[in-house]
Amino acid sequence: MNYQVIIKRIDTVNEVEGYWSDEDFVQLLEKFNYPEGATADKASLPELLEMAISDYEPHEAAEIVLKYKFADRLGDGQIEQIAHNMLIDKVCEEYPEIDMQGTLFHINQLLFKAYNGKFPNAKASIVHFSMTPTNGEVQKLSAENVLKLLNNGLSDRNLIKRLFENQISGNIPFPEAEGIVWELTTKDNINYDLVTSENWINNDDITDSEFEAVLEDIEEEA
């Protein structure tokens, strides 16, 4: 199907609002030995958590939050290693398990704020765009669909194109797209907001803001 693609703008942000729920804050406060979080004013929860976190050594706090999010995927040794690495590098941009990078970004930025910059400052991109079919009915697009359609507007220097050239430009499956795209929202299946790492897509990656693209049917592997 043919699409008219318009990339409206890309916002660069230090955090993605709404990722951490009130329930997350309450549970994390408990893990940081502040059980009163359950009865605290909800508006004060983020600030209370920052204060509770700052009572711990940075690597200890990182281990607590990592264990909260990844206890089912990472062992204690892995969590300890990542916690130490987070103080030196942007682990959320380098971790080999791509589907974990988004969560690592949110953890990194929570700790970055709590420790006033002791952790590296990673950034996310919110891409605002529209994809309008020119020869068919409007349908909701997946993360894989969207990245394939954005391909024509991205520079050859773009990291996705360099690492996944065949997947983003061809009619083969692109399972990594679900990890690259942290959030994809739309109200009308034409105008979309996509959240990802600045490392994956940023303003310098855009060579064309308006272009045509073809979404081919995926040839499933036998």
Side-chain angles (χ1 to χ4, degrees):
M1 188 183 296
N2 297 328
Y3 282 82
Q4 179 68 28
V5 180
I6 300 175
I7 301 175
K8 302 170 186 176
R9 72 178 194 278
I10 298 179
D11 298 328
T12 303
V13 298
N14 292 314
E15 64 178 316
V16 179
E17 291 184 11
Y19 175 79
W20 298 102
S21 67
D22 290 340
E23 182 61 25
D24 285 325
F25 288 129
V26 169
Q27 290 194 38
L28 281 168
L29 279 164
E30 197 167 300
K31 292 183 182 301
F32 282 97
N33 289 320
Y34 191 93
E36 294 86 355
T39 56
D41 177 50
K42 288 192 170 32
S44 69
L45 290 174
E47 186 178 350
L48 288 173
L49 181 58
E50 282 184 33
M51 292 192 320
I53 287 175
S54 64
D55 286 339
Y56 287 71
E57 289 297 316
H59 71 276
E60 294 174 332
E63 286 182 32
I64 291 170
V65 185
L66 285 164
K67 190 169 290 188
Y68 172 70
K69 294 300 291 187
F70 291 123
D72 59 336
R73 291 192 64 171
L74 298 173
D76 289 344
Q78 291 173 297
I79 287 173
E80 186 178 345
Q81 184 65 51
I82 294 172
H84 279 89
N85 290 345
M86 286 180 73
L87 282 158
I88 307 165
D89 298 315
K90 296 180 183 179
V91 175
C92 56
E93 295 181 359
E94 302 167 1
Y95 201 71
E97 299 291 339
I98 291 173
D99 67 316
M100 293 171 64
Q101 290 183 359
T103 303
L104 286 168
F105 166 83
H106 297 298
I107 292 171
N108 186 91
Q109 294 310 98
L110 183 72
L111 296 167
F112 172 81
K113 283 184 69 177
Y115 288 101
N116 198 25
K118 285 187 178 178
F119 288 79
N121 185 21
K123 294 182 179 179
S125 292
I126 304 177
V127 188
H128 306 275
F129 59 92
S130 64
M131 293 182 165
T132 308
T134 57
N135 65 340
E137 293 184 5
V138 173
Q139 58 180 321
K140 189 170 185 179
L141 299 170
S142 66
E144 179 182 51
N145 298 152
V146 163
L147 291 186
K148 287 175 179 285
L149 287 169
L150 286 175
N151 179 51
N152 286 355
L154 296 177
S155 161
D156 289 338
R157 298 186 301 275
N158 172 262
L159 184 61
I160 305 172
K161 293 184 76 162
R162 286 192 281 123
L163 292 181
F164 303 105
E165 180 182 0
N166 294 333
Q167 292 92 327
I168 197 173
S169 62
N171 61 346
I172 61 174
F174 187 8
E176 296 86 357
E178 293 294 333
I180 293 170
V181 176
W182 301 346
E183 294 179 26
L184 182 64
T185 55
T186 179
K187 293 180 179 178
D188 56 10
N189 296 337
I190 292 178
N191 297 284
Y192 288 83
D193 297 326
L194 180 158
V195 182
T196 187
S197 170
E198 183 190 42
N199 196 43
W200 288 120
I201 301 177
N202 58 65
N203 279 291
D204 292 337
D205 288 325
I206 306 303
T207 56
D208 291 301
S209 58
E210 296 189 29
F211 52 91
E212 293 184 355
V214 177
L215 185 61
E216 302 179 57
D217 291 332
I218 304 297
E219 288 188 3
E220 297 295 338
E221 296 174 344

